[in-house]
Amino acid sequence: MDKICRKGRFLFAGNRKWRAYGVSYGPFVPNSHGEPFPEKEVAERDMKQMQALGLNAIRTYHVPPQWLLDLAAEHRLRFFITLAWPLRGLFLENKLRLAEIRKSIRHQISSMAQHPAIFACAIDNEMAPDLARWLGPEKVRKFLDSLILEVKTVSPDLLVTYAGYPPSEYLIPELADFVTFNIYLHDRSDFRAYLNRCHLLAGDRPLMIGEFGIDTVSEGEERQQEIIEWHLEEVTQSGASGTLLFTWTDEWFTGGHEIEDWAFGLTTRERQPKLVCDRLATYIPQSTHALVDHFSSTSYPKFSIIVCTYNGSRTLKQTLESLSTLRYPDFEVIIINDGSTDGTADILSSDSNYGVITQENQGLSVARNRGADEATGEILVYTDDDCMPDTDWLFHLADTFQSTEFAAVGGPNLSPPAAQWRQATVAAAPGVPTHVLLTDMEAEHIPGCNFAIRREALESIGGFDPIYRKAGDDVDLCWRLRDAGYQIGFNPSAMVWHHRRSTIADYLKQQHGYGEAEALLRYQHPNYFDAEGSAHWAGIIYNDHRRLNWFDAPRVYHGIFALGYFQSIYRQPERYWVQYFSSLNWLFCTLVVGLVSLWVPALVIVPFLMFLPLLISAGILMSSAKIEKPHDHWYSRMLLYALCLLQPLLRSWARYFTWLHEQRLPRQEEFTAKEQRQLPSGWQKGRVAFWAEEGQSREQYLKCVSGLLASQGWRFFADTGWSQWDFDLFASRWWHTRLRSVAEIYPENKQLIHIEIKLLIHPISWLLISPFIFILVSLGCQFPVLAVWMGVILFLMVGYLWLERYRVRKAVARVLSAAAIKEALHPMKEEI
């Protein structure tokens, strides 16, 4: 039998995806050898029955003897073993008891770990929530991780997990190879909802259901059959790595006596099959089946997979090979070669299986729109030239589209195994594309490398915005979808492998590009950004970094007296004020204080204290990041620390200088001579007014203003219904402008329209002025001459800013006047 191993979110037997469909087995009345298992003849009959039903796994709560392991191997059954502990109590408070537990774990593993019939073990099962709360969840998780290390010391290749359950769902060890939950929910919709949650808790690891059962004494055999059938469907369709039904037989022995008042088994105590066994094999997929084969349907939507590439020859061939392995009945692949200058064209010409379109380099958004124009599918699926989708990728996307009304659906993107330590370090660095979730199923953002959207939804919002040439297109599209009333879904099993940047230079270039994209996004979606230009998400960002655990560590709802059945873990939104300490603003102020401290010794400690939050933040990110084990060395951690320091500063730098480049007054050459001359009264004070004699409405006038702003190339954002203003103008590097209006209604539908031109000083202006003020105050007493010169420079800067303020207000007033002339409005004297 091939060894079971983990690859991303799935388990594999060799090159085949493998799922465990099994039963728990025992404990039983001790046999003639004193073992908590049946006699060999009974066990052999049991395994023959299991094999006939299509089962392939057995879970035990004691280490099986050698003869039982050999018997399972003969019948191609694999064991999932739960390791037993000595009497635990308050084990973390007793060093002697801790030593006994570790010794017991090592002894149990060393007795059987190399047997081919064993595919995994659990280092514990269902720790009581009141005990976990008493000892401290974080301490318990660390101890469970230490037990995993004990197992790995004896058997490095053995898969290890911890079997949790809803009352203590938060006890997921960091080092577990896959995540296991015991779930007894008998309502299908409740089970599906909690299964989605378990997938998210599992993150980038496989999910397995460790126990699921129905008591036929209280529910009956027909109910047991019905529930287990839909349970198998839900587990398989969700992309989980299997389920272990509780239990094989009604015979059960625990606490020194047999349990006779319930019957969870698939067979009776006499090993007679219950009703559930009649059709069990038909609900278990064969190992050779893809999910789309097992869940045959005549209504699968047609997918058009669109891959846009620009100089992607390094990874493009792997992408094309992975697309050829997809198991789905109806899809096409369209490759858009966006003016590549490397060997991309040669790779595409050697493969005739896909439609290839070559165009001049016009940027990512234009390429994605071109792909949508050429596609024939009802659902458009976007991935990148450095991605490798899972074989069941399209099935999971289709399953979500068919069962929901989501306009778009995405899934996770995981980094494939790194070839060397630098690549592994870069893959662990912050700032990689990831999903942002509002609930267990609904997303606020899904990355463009794994993004599917209904054609009509994409067309209704006008496709991708061509302004985004490298990045930001997916964020803009998701926000526009949500603004238009659409919902975005997330399927954690619709996975693609996504190569991270292979070199440090490529990573830094990527982060610089993300900073530029954030600046462009702020022009169109200012309500999603703060004054510093950092995006504020309504949902939770899912990544490998537990950012600043001291401030936003997840909270656990234990229920009253720690008796809640669903003691859920709630992730906290990020504290965005912490990001300010890693911004360019804060670094600039730190440098200024450092310069001043050269003349004022009393301030020498201040710049170090100001720089300390950035150092601490980077240290927390570095320590909480996951670097692949073969490449996790002290020097890779040091490189990661440097990247954690540089990444936020680089993005902040790119944001600011994109603003400096893009925020400027457009030329106003389109105005007529009359429009150039005429300026409304009161514009210098920021208030103008126009009289509508013939019933022209304020709405009509504002639409004309919007049209003029757009035709002249102004960067602006119109009110979406949540603002206190009508237009937000990015008209200057130094000033931020907002317009709001109100109409006074007079008889015969005449109106007096008032417009306020409000100018706010830009953060960049404060960035330049505040250091001079600080230096002027700090050095004025000790160096009067220097203070005078600093005062002169400050005066000139303020004068320039005031002149720029005048120019911006005048330009805006001219637009308002031109719109009034077009709408036949008459300028009035605004009384302030």
Side-chain angles (χ1 to χ4, degrees):
M1 295 190 291
D2 291 325
K3 193 170 187 62
I4 305 300
C5 63
R6 170 200 166 189
K7 296 180 183 179
R9 298 203 77 257
F10 306 106
L11 298 179
F12 281 77
N15 293 322
R16 292 182 294 105
K17 193 178 289 186
W18 185 83
R19 305 176 187 88
Y21 295 99
V23 289
S24 62
Y25 196 61
F28 299 96
V29 176
N31 61 18
S32 57
H33 300 285
E35 301 159 335
F37 296 99
E39 300 296 341
K40 184 174 181 179
E41 297 76 14
V42 176
E44 186 169 12
R45 288 197 301 271
D46 288 342
M47 289 186 182
K48 285 181 179 179
Q49 280 185 285
M50 294 177 193
Q51 194 177 37
L53 292 174
L55 301 173
N56 62 4
I58 300 173
R59 181 180 181 185
T60 64
Y61 300 91
H62 295 84
V63 175
Q66 183 72 29
W67 64 266
L68 189 58
L69 293 172
D70 294 339
L71 201 59
E74 291 176 19
H75 293 84
R76 303 193 66 78
L77 296 169
R78 301 178 188 266
F79 270 99
F80 173 37
I81 300 168
T82 304
L83 304 177
W85 285 16
L87 185 65
R88 62 182 69 192
L90 301 179
F91 59 91
L92 286 182
E93 300 177 0
N94 189 318
K95 292 184 179 180
L96 191 60
R97 196 166 290 169
L98 284 176
E100 290 177 356
I101 292 172
R102 296 183 192 280
K103 181 180 178 181
S104 172
I105 293 292
R106 287 194 299 270
H107 174 72
Q108 293 176 76
I109 285 296
S110 60
S111 66
M112 52 74 184
Q114 304 306 320
H115 200 286
I118 299 173
F119 84 87
C121 73
I123 41 92
D124 193 23
N125 183 68
E126 295 187 1
M127 183 172 292
D130 58 334
L131 178 62
R133 189 182 71 162
W134 177 279
L135 297 174
E138 188 63 29
K139 291 181 180 179
V140 173
R141 278 195 296 268
K142 288 181 179 179
F143 178 70
L144 295 176
D145 276 324
S146 73
L147 295 186
I148 293 175
L149 290 175
E150 295 281 356
V151 174
K152 294 292 187 179
T153 301
V154 178
S155 180
D157 297 330
L158 181 65
L159 297 176
V160 188
T161 186
Y162 158 78
Y165 70 143
S168 56
E169 70 171 28
Y170 46 87
L171 293 180
I172 302 177
E174 192 74 24
L175 301 179
D177 292 303
F178 63 95
V179 175
T180 305
F181 278 103
N182 305 332
I183 307 174
Y184 290 83
L185 285 173
H186 295 168
D187 179 85
R188 187 167 188 170
S189 59
D190 289 344
F191 178 82
R192 181 187 298 126
Y194 195 70
L195 188 62
N196 285 329
R197 177 169 181 79
C198 291
H199 271 292
L200 290 180
L201 293 172
D204 61 354
R205 292 174 285 186
L207 171 68
M208 186 176 295
I209 307 305
E211 290 179 11
F212 181 88
I214 304 96
D215 179 16
T216 54
V217 171
S218 59
E219 307 241 15
E221 290 191 20
E222 290 185 359
R223 178 70 171 154
Q224 181 193 43
Q225 180 187 45
E226 174 194 345
I227 291 175
I228 286 183
E229 286 177 356
W230 64 246
H231 168 79
L232 289 170
E233 284 187 350
E234 292 291 342
V235 168
T236 306
Q237 281 185 299
S238 76
S241 290
T243 182
L244 302 168
L245 301 174
F246 186 87
T247 179
W248 170 245
T249 173
D250 290 343
E251 181 187 351
W252 206 57
F253 181 87
T254 188
H257 59 277
E258 284 195 78
I259 306 298
E260 298 181 349
D261 58 351
W262 59 256
F264 277 77
L266 304 185
T267 66
T268 65
R269 286 177 173 79
E270 296 75 28
R271 302 309 200 268
Q272 294 300 311
K274 295 183 181 178
L275 192 60
V276 66
C277 294
D278 291 350
R279 298 182 301 189
L280 190 65
T282 63
Y283 286 87
I284 298 177
Q286 299 298 312
S287 59
T288 56
H289 283 180
L291 292 182
V292 74
D293 298 327
H294 183 72
F295 296 98
S296 57
S297 171
T298 57
S299 60
Y300 283 121
K302 181 178 180 179
F303 285 107
S304 292
I305 302 174
I306 300 168
V307 182
C308 303
T309 181
Y310 174 68
N311 291 344
S313 60
R314 185 179 64 86
T315 55
L316 179 59
K317 192 171 183 180
Q318 288 178 285
T319 300
L320 299 179
E321 289 173 353
S322 69
L323 293 174
S324 68
T325 66
L326 292 176
R327 310 276 294 266
Y328 191 79
D330 193 7
F331 72 96
E332 63 179 354
V333 177
I334 300 171
I335 314 293
I336 308 296
N337 182 5
D338 189 34
S340 298
T341 56
D342 61 355
T344 296
D346 296 333
I347 295 173
L348 295 175
S349 64
S350 64
D351 196 324
S352 59
N353 295 325
Y354 311 118
V356 178
I357 298 170
T358 302
Q359 63 181 27
E360 293 182 0
N361 180 249
Q362 300 179 63
L364 182 58
S365 290
V366 172
R368 285 181 165 168
N369 286 334
R370 178 71 183 278
D373 294 338
E374 301 292 335
T376 61
E378 57 190 284
I379 295 179
L380 310 174
V381 189
Y382 291 93
T383 191
D384 291 343
D385 57 10
D386 54 359
C387 293
M388 298 167 289
D390 176 68
T391 54
D392 295 315
W393 179 48
L394 295 182
F395 169 81
H396 290 301
L397 291 175
D399 182 52
T400 305
F401 275 116
Q402 289 180 309
S403 59
T404 67
E405 297 298 320
F406 291 133
V409 177
N413 64 101
L414 308 182
S415 177
Q420 39 87 9
W421 71 273
R422 287 189 184 86
Q423 187 178 354
T425 305
V426 170
V432 298
T434 189
H435 45 283
V436 182
L437 300 187
L438 296 165
T439 68
D440 292 341
M441 288 190 66
E442 186 180 355
E444 181 179 5
H445 165 252
I446 45 180
C449 59
N450 188 0
F451 185 97
I453 184 170
R454 300 182 194 270
R455 177 187 289 277
E456 62 271 19
L458 183 65
E459 292 175 349
S460 70
I461 61 170
F464 292 89
D465 191 331
I467 194 175
Y468 302 102
R469 294 182 56 86
K470 300 176 183 178
D473 56 303
D474 48 2
V475 179
D476 169 69
L477 192 74
C478 288
W479 283 342
R480 284 193 287 128
L481 281 171
R482 288 179 48 76
D483 289 343
Y486 292 106
Q487 289 182 306
I488 303 168
F490 181 78
N491 187 316
S493 295
M495 187 201 86
V496 301
W497 294 104
H498 186 195
H499 285 286
R500 307 309 185 204
R501 295 301 184 263
S502 58
T503 67
I504 297 170
D506 286 345
Y507 168 75
L508 296 177
K509 183 178 179 182
Q510 178 197 46
Q511 297 307 309
H512 188 277
Y514 286 166
E516 291 178 349
E518 286 174 335
L520 296 176
L521 284 165
R522 184 170 179 263
Y523 292 134
Q524 295 176 288
H525 306 277
N527 49 314
Y528 287 94
F529 289 84
D530 62 15
E532 305 305 319
S534 296
H536 280 202
W537 300 95
I540 301 297
I541 302 173
Y542 281 75
N543 53 35
D544 288 339
H545 296 276
R546 295 166 292 177
R547 287 189 63 94
L548 301 174
N549 307 12
W550 302 345
F551 303 107
D552 51 18
R555 298 185 63 189
V556 175
Y557 173 77
H558 294 283
I560 298 174
F561 308 134
L563 295 175
Y565 184 70
F566 290 91
Q567 298 192 17
S568 299
I569 182 170
Y570 292 91
R571 300 183 64 162
Q572 301 298 305
E574 293 189 53
R575 304 298 198 267
Y576 288 99
W577 61 267
V578 178
Q579 294 182 7
Y580 186 78
F581 293 114
S582 58
S583 69
L584 200 62
N585 284 19
W586 187 255
L587 180 63
F588 187 76
C589 292
T590 303
L591 293 175
V592 169
V593 176
L595 290 174
V596 173
S597 67
L598 297 177
W599 291 281
V600 186
L603 297 176
V604 71
I605 192 63
V606 176
F608 293 100
L609 295 176
M610 294 176 69
F611 197 59
L612 192 60
L614 176 59
L615 297 176
I616 294 174
S617 172
I620 294 173
L621 285 174
M622 180 270 290
S623 62
S624 64
K626 297 178 184 177
I627 301 179
E628 293 177 46
K629 291 179 183 178
H631 307 295
D632 194 355
H633 310 293
W634 68 267
Y635 45 85
S636 55
R637 288 286 169 180
M638 290 300 97
L639 174 59
L640 180 59
Y641 185 68
L643 295 179
C644 290
L645 282 172
L646 286 174
Q647 186 262 349
L649 297 176
L650 188 62
R651 285 177 77 150
S652 183
W653 176 280
R655 282 199 301 267
Y656 273 124
F657 281 87
T658 301
W659 291 342
L660 286 173
H661 177 71
E662 298 290 338
Q663 292 183 193
R664 54 183 182 271
L665 278 174
R667 296 180 180 179
Q668 298 180 301
E669 298 173 349
E670 297 183 15
F671 291 139
T672 64
K674 179 180 179 183
E675 292 167 345
Q676 285 280 9
R677 288 194 309 270
Q678 185 168 328
L679 284 172
S681 174
W683 68 269
Q684 292 177 310
K685 296 182 179 180
R687 288 276 291 271
V688 297
F690 300 99
W691 177 256
E693 178 69 24
E694 301 175 3
Q696 302 93 323
S697 67
R698 182 177 71 94
E699 179 184 5
Q700 182 179 344
Y701 172 68
L702 292 178
K703 286 181 178 179
C704 184
V705 171
S706 177
L708 272 177
L709 291 171
S711 66
Q712 292 183 12
W714 289 72
R715 291 196 176 279
F716 70 99
F717 186 80
D719 177 29
T720 58
W722 296 93
S723 307
Q724 301 294 321
W725 36 263
D726 298 319
F727 295 104
D728 200 348
L729 308 178
F730 302 93
S732 168
R733 297 181 176 98
W734 318 112
W735 292 95
H736 187 62
T737 312
R738 285 178 176 170
L739 303 179
R740 63 173 181 169
S741 62
V742 65
E744 295 182 37
I745 309 300
Y746 290 89
E748 300 179 12
N749 202 28
K750 297 177 182 180
Q751 295 188 17
L752 181 60
I753 302 172
H754 301 265
I755 303 101
E756 180 185 46
I757 309 171
K758 187 173 184 179
L759 271 74
L760 306 171
I761 193 164
H762 198 282
I764 293 179
S765 302
W766 283 117
L767 187 65
L768 294 176
I769 293 174
S770 54
F772 283 95
I773 298 175
F774 182 79
I775 294 173
L776 187 64
V777 174
S778 302
L779 303 183
C781 298
Q782 296 188 29
F783 305 97
V785 175
L786 181 60
V788 169
W789 282 107
M790 296 297 293
V792 170
I793 295 174
L794 181 61
F795 177 79
L796 293 175
M797 290 178 63
V798 172
Y800 173 77
L801 290 176
W802 204 257
L803 178 63
E804 184 72 5
R805 182 174 182 267
Y806 172 86
R807 290 178 62 244
V808 171
R809 183 168 280 169
K810 184 177 181 180
V812 173
R814 183 166 284 128
V815 172
L816 298 176
S817 178
I821 292 172
K822 289 181 183 296
E823 293 297 316
L825 303 180
H826 306 287
M828 301 288 290
K829 184 176 181 180
E830 177 71 51
E831 297 292 344
I832 301 179

